[in-house]
Amino acid sequence: MCGIVGIIGNKPIAEDLVEALRRLEYRGYDSAGVATVEDGKLVRRRAEGKLRNLEKRLLSDPLQGHIGIGHTRWATHGRPTEVNAHPHMSATVSVVHNGIIENFRALKEELTACGHVFESDTDTEAIVHLITDEMQKGASPTKAVEHALSKLQGAFALGIIFSGDEDMMIAARKGSPLAIGHGKDEMYLGSDAIALAPFTPEITYLEEGDWAVLRRSGVEIFDVESKPVKRQAIRSVASSLMVDKGNHRHFMAKEIHEQPEVISHTLANYIDMSKAKVVLPDLGVDLVTLPRVTISACGTAYYAGLVAKYWLEQIARVPVEIDIASEFRYREAPMPPGGLAVFISQSGETADTLAALRYCKAKGQKIASVVNVRTSTIARESDSVLLTLAGPEIGVASTKAFTCQLAALACLAIGIGRARGTISREQEIAYVEALLEVPRLISALLAEDGQFNDIAQHLSQARDVLYLGRGVSFPLAMEGALKLKEISYIHAEGYAAGELKHGPIALIDENVPVIVVAPEDELFPKTISNMQEVAARGGQIIMISDADPVAAGCEQAIHISVPKVNPLASPLLYAIPVQLLAYQTAVSRGTDVDQPRNLAKSVTVE
Ligand code: F6R
C-alpha cells in the first residue's frame, strides 16, 4: 500500500507529482506529501487526509524544485497525521516508502543511541536516519543507500533525493512494485505505470532486490548484490487519460454499470465464438491427470475462488483446495506433484497472494494467475496468466473485477472439464451459451436498478444484516456482506443457509434484515426451508431470486427480481443486486463510497 512517485524534470514539478499521485490514490489516502530540492535544500509540503488537502497546501505555499518525490499514504506505523506523512527527511536526505520495515524498532534504538532524533512514529524514518548516518560517516549518497539497504528487513519500494543534488534520485525495490519511466532528458519513478502514463509510456520495471540511480540522462540499475544489470524497457499500455466517473456519481457506480461490457471482453478472451468453444492458455500441466487445483486469494478475489471451487469440482471433477492467502502461506499445506496453483487478484500486487504464489512455486506447483493488471508482479511471476479485461478499477470496493474473475474462472472450469472428458461437447456448448447470455441479462438488471432504492433506504437504518446462500450462492452471500460492511460500515455476515440453525439464527429478530441469494436451482427448496425458519422468528427477508416468493410459499419476503439464467452463470448475475444493494445503502448513509475509511485498493503489506 501507499503510492510513491518521483520526477527529475526541467521545470517546477510539484504539480506533476500531484497529478501522478492522483492516479495512485487507490493505494491509500490517509495523508499525502511531496518534497523537492530548492536552492540546494530539501523542502517539503505534507497534509493529512485526501490529496486535495495537499493541493490546497501547495497553492498557498508552492514548491519550485525541478526534482522531487511524492507519496500518498495508507497508515501502517503511526496515525495518519501530518507528522507521520511522507516524505520523511533530514537536512541531507528525503525518502518516500511503500511497504513495511520489519526491523525498524531495532534500527531506531541503534540510531537514537547515536544521537539521531526521530520526529514521527513511522518505520520509514529509520531509513532516513540510516542513510544520513552513513553519509555523516563519509559515504557517498549511493554508497550510503547501498549500505542502508543491506540493513533493512521487510518490504519496500523507495524513492530517495538528496540536498545539494538536483540531478540524482535513488530508487529501490524489495517486495513492493516499482516502475521507472524514461522521458526526454527527464526521468520518472512510480509505484505503477498508470501513475507515469501522463508523462511517458516507456517503462522499466525493477526486479526483486534491484536498486537504481536515476539522472536526467538515464538510469543505472543494480541487482540485489549491487552488480550493474540491464532491465528491459517496455512500452506500457496504461492509458494517459485520467480515468473519470463519466455521468456517474461514484467510480463504484460507473464500474457496476460497465460490467456487461467488460464481462463480454473477458469472455471473448477465452471463448472461440464461432465454435462456442473455450480456449485456454497452456497451463503447463497435464489436465487429464491433474491431481489437484490449489486456489489462494484475498477478500473479494477469494470469494471468486470459492465459486470456482464449486465449478471446478462439479464440471471438471478435479479436487480443489482453497484458502485465504494470509492463512494458506503459513499452513505448510502438502502439494501433490503435477498440481496447479491458481492465484486470483485484481491488482496482481496483493502481498499475501504473492507470498502464497511463491510458496507454491517453491513446492513445484505450476502457477496460473487470474489478474486484471498484465504487468503486475503476480502476472509476471506466473507460468500462465488468465487476464481479466475489467479495465482500471478505481472504486476501492471491487465490483467489475469480481465478475470478470468469475467469467475467466468459469471458462477455466469448462476448459479443464473438456480436456478431462468430464463434460461432453454439447455440455460445453450449453455452458458457453449460458455465459454469453450474461452481459445482456446484467444490462436488463441494471436498467431496473430503481427497485433497490427503497430496500437500500431501509437497510441503511439497520445495525446488523445477514446474508444467506447455498452452493455457489454461499460465496455470493459472503461477498454481499463484505461489500455492505466495507462501504456502508453496517455490520454484516454471510452464512451458508443450512448453517443458520447451528448458531447464527439466535441473532434473528424483527430488526435484522436477512438477504437471501436464492436462484431457483436444485438447492432452492432447501433455501426456502431456511427462509421459513427466519420468517418464523420475525426476521425481515429480502429474497434475491428469479422465483416468485409467493409461489415459493414465502409471501412475507421483499422480492428483488432477477432474470432466469442457467445455474452455471448465476453467480455472475446475482453479484449485481448484491453490489447495488451495498452501493445504494452506502449512498443513503452518505459515506465515502469510493474511498471508504481505513481501506486501500492495493494491499501490498502482509
Ligand atoms: C473488497 C476488495 C478486497 C480485495 C482484496 C484483494 O471489495 O476489493 O477484498 O478483493 O484486497 O485484492 P486483489 O484482488 O487486488 O488481490
Side-chain angles (χ1 to χ4, degrees), residues 200-472:
T200 176
E202 206 187 328
I203 299 293
T204 300
Y205 286 98
L206 290 186
E207 298 200 357
E208 192 59 9
D210 282 356
W211 62 284
V213 180
L214 287 72
R215 294 200 172 82
R216 277 183 189 79
S217 54
V219 60
E220 287 172 281
I221 304 179
F222 304 91
D223 68 9
V224 71
E225 282 158 5
S226 294
K227 294 206 186 87
V229 276
K230 289 252 172 290
R231 304 282 181 224
Q232 210 191 342
I234 56 162
R235 259 193 109 68
S236 160
V237 290
S239 161
S240 66
L241 296 171
M242 183 66 193
V243 189
D244 68 27
K245 295 180 199 151
N247 295 329
H248 296 275
R249 193 166 152 195
H250 297 103
F251 279 110
M252 183 175 176
K254 174 175 175 250
E255 288 158 6
I256 289 174
H257 283 83
E258 279 172 355
Q259 288 176 104
E261 192 185 346
V262 294
I263 292 172
S264 294
H265 289 167
T266 303
L267 289 173
N269 217 21
Y270 303 106
I271 293 174
D272 177 340
M273 304 287 177
S274 62
K275 302 195 181 104
K277 188 175 183 327
V278 167
V279 183
L280 295 178
D282 180 6
L283 300 171
V285 286
D286 181 350
L287 293 177
V288 178
T289 58
L290 182 63
R292 190 199 294 165
V293 174
T294 303
I295 303 179
S296 207
C298 301
T300 290
Y302 167 69
Y303 296 139
L306 271 181
V307 174
K309 174 181 166 75
Y310 287 87
W311 284 336
L312 282 161
E313 291 183 343
Q314 287 165 1
I315 297 170
R317 308 300 301 151
V318 60
V320 175
E321 139 96 273
I322 175 161
D323 206 344
I324 46 175
S326 54
E327 287 300 318
F328 178 79
R329 56 180 296 202
Y330 297 114
R331 261 180 42 201
E332 300 183 18
M335 305 266 147
L340 178 70
V342 177
F343 300 87
I344 308 165
S345 175
Q346 186 284 126
S347 61
E349 301 294 350
T350 300
D352 285 314
T353 310
L354 181 58
L357 179 157
R358 288 175 179 160
Y359 175 82
C360 290
K361 203 174 216 180
K363 297 285 171 212
Q365 302 296 286
K366 280 286 172 201
I367 309 295
S369 60
V370 178
V371 289
N372 199 37
V373 181
R374 191 191 298 265
T375 50
S376 61
T377 313
I378 289 179
R380 283 183 283 134
E381 295 197 14
S382 299
D383 298 308
S384 58
V385 177
L386 281 91
L387 207 58
T388 51
L389 300 177
E393 193 179 60
I394 307 295
V396 162
S398 189
T399 51
K400 61 176 182 167
F402 175 64
T403 46
C404 287
Q405 285 160 357
L406 290 177
L409 289 163
C411 292
L412 182 71
I414 297 167
I416 297 182
R418 268 298 283 148
R420 289 166 77 84
T422 52
I423 55 169
S424 64
R425 175 75 186 117
E426 289 65 39
Q427 278 170 308
E428 178 182 21
I429 294 172
Y431 284 145
V432 165
E433 284 174 353
L435 287 175
L436 293 177
E437 251 194 336
V438 166
R440 177 180 58 78
L441 296 176
I442 292 182
S443 296
L445 204 44
L446 289 170
E448 300 292 323
D449 62 356
Q451 67 170 323
F452 298 90
N453 291 342
D454 290 348
I455 306 173
Q457 190 64 41
H458 174 65
L459 280 184
S460 69
Q461 309 300 318
R463 206 190 64 179
D464 306 290
V465 178
L466 291 185
Y467 284 74
L468 303 180
R470 270 181 181 265
V472 284

